[in-house]
Amino acid sequence: MREIEVKILEVEVASLKRKLESWGAKKVFEGELTASYYDFSNGKLGKGGLVLRLRKKSGTEQTVELTLKEKISQTEAKIMKEYEVAVTNFEAMQKILYGLGLRETKVARKHRISYQLDDVHFDLDTFPGIPTFLEIEAPTLEIVKEYVTKLGYSMAEAKPWSGGDLLRYYGKVSKR
């Protein structure tokens, strides 16, 4: 699967929620996310443009996902190949990763409100000490651009950033 997304910084949450809901977008998640990132001690995954994430979503239900991402581009949007699988036990999966010789490189926690409109996903994310930002993810760059504009923003305001880029921009450290 391909992930194509941008981030828009320091958004006004209430007005965005109203606009999305007026278009018929459905709220599909609200809760806390904890994401742990893994690599080998020599940084082999990162050097190869890969990201391995184990994420726990805690909302009305708790879910755990293991995701491998491969960087394709980071020009107009962040574009990654993404392989994701549901996991039933965060701690057991963590032990498996450690057993394979991986180590946890960082941990990120945030509050997320997610909306879905057809095949477009909108996430309102808040990290501690960072203003809320919007992620727009769609199957094509053209659709991402369309919704950036429909929401009243420009592509100049849309950042093709990873979560790490965002944390660096705000001077935050996400290591344990």
Side-chain angles (χ1 to χ4, degrees), residues 27-33 56-63 111-112:
K27 186 196 276 189
V28 293
F29 176 78
E30 181 167 4
E32 303 306 312
L33 273 70
K56 186 185 323 182
K57 291 181 174 182
S58 302
T60 53
E61 296 179 15
Q62 183 168 300
T63 60
H111 182 80
R112 170 171 281 180

Side-chain angles (χ1 to χ4, degrees), residues 5-71:
E5 71 179 29
V6 296
K7 290 176 175 46
I8 299 172
L9 307 183
E10 302 182 21
V11 297
E12 208 297 303
V13 174
S15 64
L16 272 173
K17 287 169 66 175
R18 279 192 302 275
K19 191 174 279 190
L20 291 170
E21 289 168 3
S22 75
W23 293 345
K26 302 291 181 218
K27 186 196 276 189
V28 293
F29 176 78
E30 181 167 4
E32 303 306 312
L33 273 70
T34 301
S36 295
Y37 295 84
Y38 298 86
D39 203 340
F40 295 99
S41 58
N42 64 3
K44 179 181 177 180
L45 296 179
K47 290 175 188 172
L50 299 172
V51 175
L52 183 62
R53 177 187 71 204
L54 181 61
R55 179 169 68 184
K56 186 185 323 182
K57 291 181 174 182
S58 302
T60 53
E61 296 179 15
Q62 183 168 300
T63 60
V64 179
E65 305 157 335
L66 180 67
T67 307
L68 178 67
K69 296 183 180 198
E70 180 181 4
K71 183 178 176 180

Side-chain angles (χ1 to χ4, degrees), residues 23-26 115-122 137 139 143 147:
W23 293 345
K26 302 291 181 218
Y115 285 87
Q116 185 81 31
L117 180 62
D118 300 321
D119 51 3
V120 183
H121 206 79
F122 304 89
E137 181 180 341
I143 295 171
Y147 279 96

